[in-house]
Amino acid sequence: KQEVTQIPAALSVPEGENLVLNCSFTDSAIYNLQWFRQDPGKGLTSLLLIQSSQREQTSGRLNASLDKSSGRSTLYIAASQPGDSATYLCAHSGAGSYQLTFGKGTKLSVIP
Amino acid sequence: GAVVSQHPSRVICKSGTSVKIECRSLDFQATTMFWYRQFPKQSLMLMATSNEGSKATYEQGVEKDKFLINHASLTLSTLTVTSAHPEDSSFYICSASLHEHSSYEQYFGPGTRLTVT
C-alpha cells in the first residue's frame, strides 16, 4: 500500500521565518508530486507540481524539491507571512495514472 | 484557467434522503473527474474515478449503490449520496484532469460540506 507521510503535523513560526515542510513516500515509481494548500473548510489550491523527470519547482516564495531515490519532497517557504497560515498537503500520482495519494498535511500557523 | 466549481457548497439534509452534488470544469474539458471525501483533520480519500460516458471506478470499501456517480459530459460529473445517514456527513471534494494533458495534473473544486441530521 502506497503511503505518504508529512512531518510535522503542525508547525507554528513567527512571521518572517523561512521554513521547510517535509513529505515522504513509499512508492519509488511516482509520476508527479504536487503540493497543495487548503484553507479551513475550503478546497485545495495547487501550489507546485514536480514531474518525475524534474528535481524542483519554484513559484514566488515557494520552492519544492523532489528526490525520488530517497522518497522525499520538501516545500520551502521563504519569508513566511500570516497569510501563509493553512494546511499544506503533498500528494503523488503513480506512473501513467491520474490517481493521487495524499498525506495528512502539515498545519502551518505564522504568528504576526 | 483550469477552474473547477462545485454546487452546493453546503447542504444539510435529513437522514434517509438523497442529495446530489455537482462538479463542473468551467473552462476546460475533463475526460476524468475524481471524487474524494475528507473527514476532520484527515487527508483526502479517493472514493471513485469517473470517466465521461462510462461507469465510475470505485475504490475498495466505497458502496457504488450508495454513492452514485454520473459523468454525463466532459464538463460535468455528479455525486448522489442516496439514503444519507449521519455517518455520511463529510467534506466532499471533486477534481478534474485536463483533457489529453500529459502531466496528469488535477484541479480541485472548492468542496461541499454535507451534514446529515
Side-chain angles (χ1 to χ4, degrees):
Chain A
K1 178 183 177 184
Q2 300 174 12
E3 290 189 359
V4 178
T5 304
Q6 291 187 247
I7 295 173
L11 179 64
S12 182
V13 300
E15 181 177 3
E17 266 201 15
N18 302 325
L19 59 100
V20 175
L21 305 181
N22 297 294
C23 173
S24 61
F25 46 90
T26 56
D27 184 1
S28 61
I30 68 168
Y31 190 71
N32 286 341
L33 188 131
Q34 275 185 272
W35 282 92
F36 297 89
R37 168 185 175 138
Q38 185 176 31
D39 292 287
K42 305 294 184 181
L44 274 64
T45 300
S46 179
L47 298 173
L48 291 164
L49 179 149
I50 310 175
Q51 296 188 28
S52 60
S53 59
Q54 301 171 329
R55 293 190 63 85
E56 66 175 342
Q57 284 287 329
T58 298
S59 176
R61 294 183 293 110
L62 305 179
N63 175 275
S65 66
L66 173 63
D67 184 345
K68 289 177 61 178
S69 62
S70 64
R72 294 182 180 180
S73 176
T74 60
L75 178 66
Y76 174 82
I77 302 177
S80 59
Q81 302 171 358
D84 295 331
S85 298
T87 296
Y88 291 81
L89 297 162
C90 76
H92 72 72
S93 61
S97 170
Y98 289 103
Q99 293 188 8
L100 288 173
T101 301
F102 281 86
K104 290 187 177 181
T106 294
K107 184 175 182 181
L108 173 65
S109 298
V110 181
I111 310 303
Chain B
V3 178
V4 176
S5 70
Q6 280 185 243
H7 177 79
S9 58
R10 290 178 177 271
V11 58
I12 300 173
C13 70
K14 293 185 177 180
S15 185
T17 62
S18 296
V19 61
K20 179 185 288 187
I21 302 170
E22 292 186 350
C23 176
R24 293 181 184 272
S25 56
L26 298 184
D27 51 2
F28 66 99
Q29 292 184 325
T31 49
T32 304
M33 289 185 171
F34 302 85
W35 287 96
Y36 298 84
R37 66 186 298 180
Q38 186 180 33
F39 292 106
K41 297 184 179 181
Q42 296 295 315
S43 189
L44 277 72
M45 298 299 296
L46 179 65
M47 298 175 65
T49 302
S50 168
N51 292 295
E52 185 264 339
S54 63
K55 292 182 178 180
T57 302
Y58 290 82
E59 295 300 300
Q60 189 174 7
V62 178
E63 299 176 56
K64 63 180 181 180
D65 295 329
K66 180 170 185 60
F67 298 99
L68 301 179
I69 292 173
N70 185 2
H71 193 160
S73 75
L74 285 171
T75 59
L76 173 64
S77 177
T78 60
L79 168 66
T80 301
V81 183
T82 62
S83 187
H85 291 283
E87 58 265 31
D88 298 324
S89 298
S90 187
F91 193 54
Y92 292 86
I93 306 177
C94 73
S95 70
S97 288
L98 286 168
H99 181 60
E100 295 182 354
H101 197 275
S102 62
S103 71
Y104 298 97
E105 186 168 3
Q106 292 183 29
Y107 296 89
F108 285 79
T112 296
R113 173 73 61 189
L114 170 63
T115 302
V116 184
T117 60

